[in-house]
Amino acid sequence: MLSFAAGLVTLALILVELNQERSLSLRILWLGLAYLGLFACAHLAVRRWAPYADPVILPCVAFLNGLGLVVIHRIDLAMEGTVFDDGSTWDPMAFKQVIWTAIGLLLFAATLKFLTDHRTLARFGYTFGLAGLVALLLPGVLPGFIAPTINGAKIWLRIGPFSIQPGEFAKILLMVFFAAFLVSKRDLFTTAGRRFLGMDLPRARDLGPLFAAWGVAVAVMILQKDLGSSLLFFGIVLVLLYVATERAAWVVLGLGLFAGGAVIAWKLFTHVQQRVANWSDPMATYNEDGGGYQIAQSLFGLATGGIGGAGLGAGRPEMIPESNTDFITAVIGEELGFVGFAALLLVYMVVAMRGLRSAISVRDSFGKLLGGGLAFAMCFQVFIVVGGVTKLIPMTGITAPFLSKGGSSLLANYVLIALLLRISAAARAPQRAPKPKPQQPAIADQHTVMVERPK
């Protein structure tokens, strides 16, 4: 399957070069072989340290990562030589993304090697929770020279020449915390309160964690102007609560709280009003600063792609702002069409379904909750990204896992996949037969033992 993924990625690269009227050379073949070698090492790491892990997940991730590299290279070709208003020129990103891929795979292998049992994470649940909370909120409270506002969102930390998006790692840390917390306090959340409209509502005194999660989500929306991370974080909390308790009342209450918070934020803050206005009618704000130009260009690109697409390398990705990050799925939709776009979503769905299958099969409650949360997080993040690009929901500004440019997203998602594989290995590992108990001879057959009185 890895060879098949490498073949598809190499073919995609050849199509891009041909449609850009560039000469083919053996360099493309070597790039394909290097890509195959990189993921072959990752495969060997899985066979060595998690031999029972699901064999489908890594090839799907390799295909997504490879397609992302090809599309980023294609955007580099389209933007080559572009000079911006401030005098700077386009900085090619494909090579940097290859470096981040290699680092991500090293982190992936290290996670598999040193985390031999996923249940170890439960012991550090509260520590991970505190670290995740700090990482999530830190960019919103730090001054601008450390946490600058980029593209309207304050989600980055800049340390010298490096930038990091701590929210990408915070989502994994917080999932570990909530899984450990819900396992230890499960009885508290399953205690029924009053019955209303056919639902057993929880007791008012048990709503504290839900209010805390809601407060954090609203704080992220207001302080960092990041609707995507806010929605992703609160969605993960609700799903973990539902999986732990099997009660829809938690989800209904949570959605009501989030909707109320979103309405209040829309009433009070201009950046939220701008996002909603761009969503409802992007053409009305097309020429405004921060208006609907980006979402409108994305829709034009998707419409141009139609059913079959313009062909890899034959679209106009330079017409879509931020086409290699938030809107990379719009570029894929334009060049591969509805068919290619649907196939891409199916690959994501396969990863999520295999992750959920592992979560169902694993024997411990912590593994079930964590595996379910990890699989849902990837699936929900794709929904938020694609929903924003297609105008199903307001534009949010988060990255597509394994496709978009960015080291933080790539590293965090490789850790997420390593955790999923660790859980799947535990689920698929054969159970050890209990050791046979030594047979005791019947009392009548036992020898008589003389007990001497101590002198």
Side-chain angles (χ1 to χ4, degrees):
M1 291 183 70
L2 273 176
S3 301
F4 181 66
L8 283 179
V9 171
T10 307
L11 178 62
L13 187 58
I14 291 173
L15 289 175
V16 167
E17 299 287 318
L18 287 176
N19 280 323
Q20 288 291 303
E21 298 180 351
R22 299 169 70 92
S23 59
L24 297 179
S25 65
L26 286 176
R27 182 179 68 91
I28 294 177
L29 181 61
W30 283 112
L31 286 174
L33 290 175
Y35 166 84
L36 180 60
L38 202 60
F39 279 95
C41 293
H43 172 73
L44 292 176
V46 174
R47 293 302 105 198
R48 174 71 177 83
W49 293 308
Y52 298 106
D54 192 310
V56 177
I57 293 177
L58 184 62
C60 290
V61 169
F63 171 73
L64 292 171
N65 197 170
L67 182 62
L69 288 171
V70 170
V71 176
I72 291 171
H73 170 63
R74 187 270 170 277
I75 295 168
D76 283 344
L77 295 179
M79 299 292 290
E80 198 173 28
T82 300
V83 180
F84 299 101
D85 294 338
D86 59 358
S88 62
T89 56
W90 176 258
D91 184 17
M93 294 293 172
F95 180 72
K96 294 178 183 175
Q97 192 71 359
V98 173
I99 300 294
W100 282 119
T101 298
I103 297 173
L105 287 173
L106 281 175
L107 194 58
F108 167 85
T111 305
L112 287 177
K113 177 176 173 53
F114 294 108
L115 183 68
T116 55
D117 188 342
H118 63 273
R119 291 172 294 184
T120 308
L121 296 173
R123 298 181 201 162
F124 307 98
Y126 286 91
T127 306
F128 284 165
L130 181 62
L133 195 60
V134 171
L136 189 65
L137 296 177
L138 199 58
V141 297
L142 287 178
F145 66 91
I146 298 178
T149 300
I150 301 175
N151 297 327
K154 201 167 182 288
I155 56 178
W156 293 89
L157 292 181
R158 181 167 290 168
I159 306 167
F162 299 102
S163 296
I164 186 172
Q165 191 175 347
E168 290 285 349
F169 301 94
K171 68 181 181 187
I172 298 176
L173 296 171
L174 290 171
M175 271 189 281
V176 173
F177 162 69
F178 275 109
F181 178 73
L182 289 172
V183 167
S184 61
K185 305 291 183 185
R186 191 170 188 167
D187 294 339
L188 185 71
F189 293 96
T190 52
T191 304
R194 294 186 176 180
R195 191 169 182 80
F196 181 72
L197 294 177
M199 289 187 300
D200 292 323
L201 298 177
R203 298 178 301 180
R205 56 187 164 181
D206 299 333
L207 292 175
L210 185 63
F211 279 118
W214 174 76
V216 172
V218 173
V220 170
M221 191 191 307
I222 294 171
L223 294 175
Q224 302 180 6
K225 303 177 181 178
D226 186 10
L227 179 60
S229 296
S230 170
L231 187 59
L232 180 63
F233 165 71
F234 200 64
I236 291 171
V237 172
L238 289 185
V239 166
L240 288 179
L241 268 172
Y242 178 72
V243 173
T245 62
E246 299 180 0
R247 293 176 60 187
W250 285 104
V251 180
V252 174
L253 283 174
L255 290 177
L257 281 173
F258 190 82
V263 170
I264 294 172
W266 175 68
K267 289 279 187 184
L268 297 179
F269 302 102
T270 54
H271 67 274
V272 180
Q273 294 169 5
Q274 183 72 64
R275 290 287 178 97
V276 175
N278 295 343
W279 169 59
S280 62
D281 189 359
M283 297 307 295
T285 59
Y286 187 80
N287 294 315
E288 294 178 9
D289 188 20
Y293 177 77
Q294 192 177 25
I295 181 65
Q297 291 299 109
S298 166
L299 295 175
F300 291 152
L302 291 172
T304 304
I307 299 295
L312 269 173
R316 299 292 302 277
E318 68 274 16
M319 302 299 291
I320 305 174
E322 303 297 331
S323 55
N324 58 5
T325 55
D326 306 350
F327 279 73
I328 195 167
T329 50
V331 176
I332 294 173
E334 179 186 2
E335 300 206 338
L336 295 181
F338 174 77
V339 175
F341 197 65
L344 175 72
L345 296 183
L346 280 176
V347 176
Y348 275 118
M349 187 178 294
V350 168
V351 177
M353 292 298 292
R354 302 294 290 206
L356 288 173
R357 182 179 173 185
S358 301
I360 291 171
S361 304
V362 78
R363 300 170 188 91
D364 63 289
S365 300
F366 174 73
K368 286 182 186 296
L369 279 176
L370 182 60
L374 293 170
F376 172 78
M378 168 168 280
C379 195
F380 193 47
Q381 187 165 345
V382 173
F383 167 76
I384 294 172
V385 172
V386 175
V389 167
T390 56
K391 210 172 88 64
L392 180 65
I393 60 174
M395 192 176 66
T396 54
I398 60 176
T399 57
F402 300 106
L403 287 178
S404 300
K405 175 206 77 173
S408 302
S409 172
L410 207 53
L411 298 185
N413 282 307
Y414 269 118
V415 172
L416 185 151
I417 291 298
L419 293 178
L420 263 186
L421 288 177
R422 173 57 64 203
I423 292 171
S424 75
R428 293 160 59 93
Q431 280 186 301
R432 292 179 180 175
K435 293 181 179 179
K437 294 181 180 178
Q439 295 293 327
Q440 293 289 338
I443 295 178
D445 298 333
Q446 292 186 12
H447 299 289
T448 302
V449 178
M450 299 298 293
V451 179
E452 295 183 2
R453 178 181 296 175
K455 296 179 181 178

